[in-house]
Amino acid sequence: MDKTLFEYLLRLGDTALILSQRLSAWTGHGPVLEEDLALTNTALDLLGQARLWLTLAGEVEGAGRDEDALAYLRDAHQFHNALLVERPNGNYADTMARQFLFDVWHYFLLQKLEKSADERVAAIAAKALKEVTYHVRRSSDLVVRLGDGTAESHAKMQAAIDEAWRYTGELFADDAVDQDMAARGIGCELAALRAPWLRHVREVLEEATLAVPDEAAADLPALRGGRQGRHTEELGYLLAEMQFLPRAYPGAKW
């Protein structure tokens, strides 16, 4: 088994899966019907991407675990998602700040992975990139509308960006897995994504009349580790809900 590739695929799949689970909690609770449908569709896109990454991870592992086993039968410390996506939904500004900062990073990452030396990784990235291009456009628009809206929406959007920003440093922190994947041409160096990410984020925040947080706020070591399996307690609560049925009724079929 290629252990490094396996973990890399888990990082991609878990991050999409956990954010999808977070967004699905808004179904039926969106501020307006159009937003309710749009956010639900984003959650479904991410779920589809998670299935592809986890299915490939299971094939690479070669231990007979499929996408369902990897999603439902692992404990919190075995997940490798970024901490940003496990943050609670909060209010709608909190959700959109998290989504916007993630979407921009996700877009630039998939652009790199689309050129992966591994044809399977490249194919999944190419398919996901089409969806994520829409995600970036939509979340950017929402940040502008809320930031440049009423005094209340502006204040809430600024507070949400400031809070979510603290978890973005992890998105650009390369470790041995990232370095090995980049060296083999399968992945890329995350640090290289920071400049284009920051450039796009700055442009949107300026249009939204929002202040760009201090870059140092994203460099706190304590707010990293999710990709290595070190999580906040929030992930445990999320998994308890998401995994209940498969664990309560092992092997059950519809």
Side-chain angles (χ1 to χ4, degrees), residues 155-176:
K156 286 186 175 181
M157 196 71 244
Q158 184 67 67
I161 289 290
D162 292 343
E163 173 62 22
W165 193 272
R166 301 187 306 141
Y167 293 88
T168 58
E170 181 182 27
L171 302 177
F172 310 102
D174 292 292
D175 64 6

Side-chain angles (χ1 to χ4, degrees), residues 5 24 42 58 63 68 77 84 92 101 125 137 149 181 183 189 191 227 240:
L5 177 57
S24 68
T42 300
D68 290 333
H77 69 278
L84 175 65
Y92 209 67
L101 297 175
R137 185 164 61 245
M181 290 291 97
E189 293 184 357
R227 297 169 68 247

Side-chain angles (χ1 to χ4, degrees), residues 5-102:
L5 177 57
F6 175 63
E7 181 172 334
Y8 191 70
L9 293 169
L10 287 182
R11 293 179 178 191
L12 295 169
D14 290 348
T15 296
L17 176 64
I18 297 305
L19 184 54
S20 173
Q21 180 70 11
R22 278 288 183 229
L23 295 181
S24 68
W26 275 104
T27 303
H29 301 281
V32 293
L33 181 59
E34 180 182 3
E35 271 306 295
D36 197 297
L37 294 173
L39 207 59
T40 299
N41 283 331
T42 300
L44 288 172
D45 286 344
L46 290 167
L47 181 60
Q49 294 166 24
R51 293 184 64 187
L52 293 173
W53 291 125
L54 294 180
T55 294
L56 180 54
E59 294 172 0
V60 169
E61 183 187 32
R65 292 197 290 181
D66 61 9
E67 59 183 282
D68 290 333
L70 289 173
Y72 298 124
L73 302 179
R74 284 184 294 148
D75 295 328
H77 69 278
Q78 297 171 312
F79 273 74
H80 296 272
N81 58 279
L83 293 180
L84 175 65
V85 300
E86 68 190 52
R87 300 303 302 147
N89 284 334
N91 59 40
Y92 209 67
D94 294 322
T95 291
M96 293 317 303
R98 181 187 65 199
Q99 191 66 35
F100 166 64
L101 297 175
F102 171 78

Side-chain angles (χ1 to χ4, degrees), residues 228-248:
Q228 291 79 29
R230 302 187 302 275
H231 298 279
T232 67
E233 65 178 351
E234 299 297 339
L235 181 64
Y237 296 126
L238 181 150
L239 293 179
E241 180 178 13
M242 187 183 84
Q243 298 179 335
F244 172 75
L245 282 175
R247 287 178 179 261

